[in-house]
Amino acid sequence: MAERKLLILFGSQTGTAHDTAERIGREAKRRHFQCRVEALDSYEVANLINELLVVFVCATTGQGDPPDNMKMFWRFLFRKNLPPSSLCQLDYAVLGLGDSSYPKFNFVAKKLHKRVLQLGGNPLLPVALGDDQHDLGPDAVVDPWLLALWDKILALYPLPPGLEIVSPDVRLPPKYTLHYLAEDSPHPDGGLLQPTAPRTVPSELHPFPARMVSNQRVTAESHFQDVRLIEFDVAASGITFNAGDVVMIQPQNCPEDVQQFCQLLRLDPERCFVLKPTEPGTSLPALLPQPCTIRYLVTHYLDISCVPRRSFFELLSYFSTNELEREKLQEFSSAQGQEELYSYCNRPRRTTLEALWDFPHTTCAIPPDYLLDLIPRIRPRAFSIASSMLAHPDRIQILMAVVRYKTQLSKPRRGLCSTWLASLNPEQGDVRVPLWVKKGGMKFPADPDTPVIMIGPGTGVAPFRAAIQERVAQGRRGNCLFFGCRQKSKDFYCQAEWEELVTKGFLTLFTAFSRDQEEKVYVQHRIRENRRLVWELLSSGSAHVYLAG
């Protein structure tokens, strides 16, 4: 009897592919497979030649790029020297998650499918192309594709004699069990934010606890939007960056939400616990200290402010002791209930914490062991770096709009990271923010004589501030900026800085203030008015054009 082992490898940027991979893992367990779910970059890719059965789940980001957690795998797979029969014993299937409003729709999944085929792999099914634009989201493609996949897999690996598929009514065990320590055990002191001597260049697994130096509002108090220029001290971190690079910031939940969550689930925030994996071989969550307090878990790890996914309601339905609540949860997790779920969750941007409020009987019955299966981890947020190391050594600045908007829910929606950062006041003591730097998609020309045309309305001007600072420090003059905002007196970011550079001859500046006159004027109008200059820079100066929104 062939060993019934299935490997599920995912590449995920926002968490959807990870969520889908875990769903396939649960379905595999119901069919009695030994199953591992791993991010592509945590998997030892050289072992792929020994695998017999693999499902790949991958998202496509930006302009057809692979997600961050599969970049190394991607480079390895496309090495020219891999023999064409490397994967000849592999049965595989590829599930793609994309958005058909982008030109390179599901590019990564299509290319992966083709490459594994070239290397001798045997596809079980055509590649699945999940689409965010579909009324029912990617599930419209994923649901029927998975049914077909299990038919194929069970034909190759039938159920062992005497075993049935575990019924969907049966709750699967949690990924980890939570073991409380004795009440009097010493408290761990949230290890993440203690400044430590940097071992390596800071990264997602080892962020640098940067000190916030300043947090300044750069829009008028009367302006509807709160925009901040925030500066961090990264001295002795080993961080280096260029214009166009991105700083990743790991946010946390606000104390009021943490307290509410603990009350709803009847958890003592001060209790300490250790996690133990249910199955051998499962690694522990990288960013959680062991031992850990419930408060630390909820503050720094569980994303209680994200909009919950279908899998959340599916798992929640198993804990429900109340028939009405259970029926509603089951509806939300069924294929037929997806429009209803969209109206309840996605359209009004209802948070996980708010959804738990709506199911009080179920919520107070959630076993703590299942918290990490139920709620995803808080994802880092990316910000364009708005300063240059040449102008501000050992510093990183960002230009950040505080996200706040209304939906049909009475309480305004708030961005987790921007609200948290805006609330920090470095004048009231030592404020630390976990961060690291990532290469950005913008590269500015190496040739000092190449002119640069930058179009940056609103906070889109951030990477251009870094580029202009860098280029001015290098003595380069061909800098042309089109900047747009609503009103000169309210949201003209960095006005004094730009005007000084214009005076010194380093910058040509065109501004569009859309609300300062009767008819609205935007950056595209200024580009049209200055078409001769733009064309001259493009045709004879071979200028590079950059656009950031």
Side-chain angles (χ1 to χ4, degrees):
M1 177 94 189
E3 205 180 2
R4 302 177 79 255
K5 277 172 83 168
L6 169 64
L7 175 64
I8 301 163
L9 295 173
F10 66 88
S12 184
Q13 196 70 24
T14 60
T16 310
H18 186 181
D19 184 66
T20 305
E22 293 288 358
R23 170 187 170 183
I24 301 171
R26 289 192 296 274
E27 294 189 7
K29 289 200 174 115
R30 292 188 182 281
R31 289 159 180 82
H32 304 280
F33 279 88
Q34 259 185 285
C35 176
R36 279 176 29 235
V37 179
E38 277 195 55
L40 278 151
D41 276 358
S42 344
Y43 174 70
E44 189 49 71
V45 63
N47 292 341
L48 202 56
I49 55 168
N50 306 317
E51 303 289 353
L52 301 179
L53 184 58
V54 177
V55 176
F56 298 94
V57 184
C58 48
T60 295
T61 66
Q63 303 302 316
D65 303 313
D68 289 338
N69 66 0
M70 68 177 280
K71 283 200 157 75
M72 289 171 345
F73 171 86
W74 198 242
R75 277 199 295 274
F76 180 88
L77 199 67
F78 285 92
R79 277 169 37 176
K80 297 276 189 288
N81 60 355
L82 298 180
S85 60
S86 315
L87 302 178
C88 60
Q89 58 171 344
L90 176 67
D91 289 316
Y92 75 98
V94 177
L95 165 52
L97 296 169
D99 183 323
S100 59
S101 66
Y102 284 81
K104 293 204 167 175
F105 172 54
N106 263 316
F107 182 73
V108 171
K110 292 172 189 168
K111 206 169 162 184
L112 174 63
H113 188 271
K114 202 167 148 191
R115 180 59 175 155
V116 178
L117 188 61
Q118 277 176 353
L119 295 172
N122 168 47
L124 295 171
L125 286 176
V127 57
L129 305 175
D131 185 7
D132 247 356
Q133 291 297 318
H134 192 284
D135 288 344
L136 300 177
D139 286 347
V141 167
V142 175
D143 291 357
W145 185 83
L146 278 179
L147 290 173
L149 179 72
W150 289 121
D151 284 346
K152 293 274 189 195
I153 290 178
L154 287 174
L156 290 170
Y157 297 91
L159 285 165
L163 284 181
E164 297 285 316
I165 294 178
V166 178
S167 150
D169 303 335
V170 175
R171 178 168 97 196
L172 291 172
K175 204 168 185 176
Y176 306 102
T177 50
L178 204 126
H179 297 266
Y180 283 122
L181 303 179
E183 297 267 1
D184 52 3
S185 58
H187 252 225
D189 52 351
L192 249 193
L193 293 180
Q194 302 308 316
T196 48
R199 291 161 288 222
T200 52
V201 175
S203 63
E204 182 159 10
L205 293 181
H206 301 286
F208 177 72
R211 184 174 64 86
M212 185 185 277
V213 179
S214 61
N215 182 353
Q216 173 198 351
R217 180 170 171 144
V218 290
T219 42
E221 286 298 334
S222 60
H223 190 56
F224 77 101
Q225 193 168 37
D226 181 356
V227 176
R228 303 298 177 95
L229 182 66
I230 301 178
E231 182 170 66
F232 302 102
D233 181 352
V234 292
S237 65
I239 287 176
T240 58
F241 59 89
N242 297 103
D245 288 347
V246 168
V247 61
M248 305 297 294
I249 291 178
Q250 184 66 47
Q252 60 186 57
N253 291 310
C254 70
E256 302 78 60
D257 285 358
V258 172
Q259 189 183 349
Q260 264 189 21
F261 180 87
C262 290
Q263 281 171 349
L264 270 175
L265 276 82
R266 304 180 181 173
L267 294 167
D268 173 2
E270 304 313 323
R271 280 303 291 274
C272 281
F273 66 89
V274 290
L275 286 180
K276 303 238 168 90
T278 312
E279 291 186 5
T282 306
S283 52
L284 290 169
L287 291 164
L288 270 186
Q290 290 261 49
C292 183
T293 61
I294 293 287
R295 185 187 304 283
Y296 189 94
L297 171 75
V298 183
T299 304
H300 296 279
Y301 195 85
L302 299 180
D303 195 353
I304 58 177
S305 76
C306 71
V307 176
R309 302 173 189 271
R310 175 176 167 180
S311 57
F312 169 85
F313 295 97
E314 186 187 335
L315 183 52
L316 208 51
S317 68
Y318 288 104
F319 311 133
S320 196
T321 48
N322 174 288
E323 202 173 331
L324 270 174
E325 287 187 11
R326 185 167 59 246
E327 279 173 12
K328 195 69 191 167
L329 292 165
Q330 285 169 342
E331 182 190 345
F332 281 161
S333 51
S334 69
Q336 302 74 40
Q338 290 315 289
E339 278 183 55
E340 181 91 10
L341 178 60
Y342 189 86
S343 303
Y344 171 72
C345 259
N346 303 65
R347 196 167 291 123
R349 311 300 298 163
R350 195 183 301 272
T351 68
T352 295
L353 183 57
E354 288 168 330
L356 291 170
W357 272 109
D358 286 346
F359 295 91
H361 298 92
T362 309
T363 296
C364 64
I366 296 171
D369 285 347
Y370 281 92
L371 284 174
L372 284 95
D373 294 88
L374 191 63
I375 301 171
R377 72 176 178 87
I378 299 174
R379 303 237 151 222
R381 307 307 202 249
F383 294 91
S384 292
I385 296 175
S387 59
S388 162
M389 288 195 116
L390 298 179
H392 302 275
D394 292 334
R395 295 283 198 262
I396 285 180
Q397 296 179 359
I398 60 170
L399 189 64
M400 176 193 82
V402 182
V403 177
R404 187 173 190 267
Y405 58 95
K406 282 289 293 174
T407 64
Q408 73 220 40
L409 300 176
S410 57
K411 210 174 153 193
R413 309 291 89 194
R414 294 175 183 276
L416 173 66
C417 190
S418 61
T419 304
W420 172 60
L421 286 174
S423 74
L424 301 174
N425 183 355
E427 289 164 19
Q428 290 181 351
D430 190 38
V431 174
R432 300 277 168 169
V433 171
L435 55 77
W436 64 99
V437 164
K438 208 172 91 171
K439 278 275 154 265
M442 280 189 186
K443 302 271 179 290
F444 291 90
D447 177 0
D449 298 326
T450 305
V452 174
I453 300 170
M454 295 163 277
I455 305 155
T459 52
V461 79
F464 303 138
R465 183 172 180 259
I468 291 166
Q469 285 183 0
E470 193 164 285
R471 289 170 61 81
V472 167
Q474 293 161 338
R476 302 179 182 188
R477 288 184 179 268
N479 306 306
C480 175
L481 175 65
F482 288 88
F483 173 76
C485 64
R486 290 195 171 204
Q487 290 164 299
K488 184 175 182 175
S489 61
K490 293 195 171 168
D491 55 341
F492 186 3
Y493 314 131
C494 315
Q495 178 180 356
E497 190 175 330
W498 303 138
E499 288 172 351
E500 185 185 344
L501 292 174
V502 170
T503 310
K504 289 181 172 168
F506 279 108
L507 180 65
T508 308
L509 175 68
F510 300 102
T511 51
F513 305 113
S514 62
R515 306 295 197 277
D516 275 351
Q517 59 286 308
E518 271 299 295
E519 50 307 327
K520 296 193 173 107
V521 177
Y522 296 113
V523 284
Q524 58 268 36
H525 298 118
R526 295 291 182 240
I527 294 168
R528 194 174 293 130
E529 285 165 18
N530 294 281
R531 55 189 175 271
R532 281 206 179 80
L533 168 71
V534 172
W535 175 243
E536 187 188 315
L537 288 171
L538 287 173
S539 57
S540 52
S542 36
H544 290 198
V545 180
Y546 299 85
L547 173 67

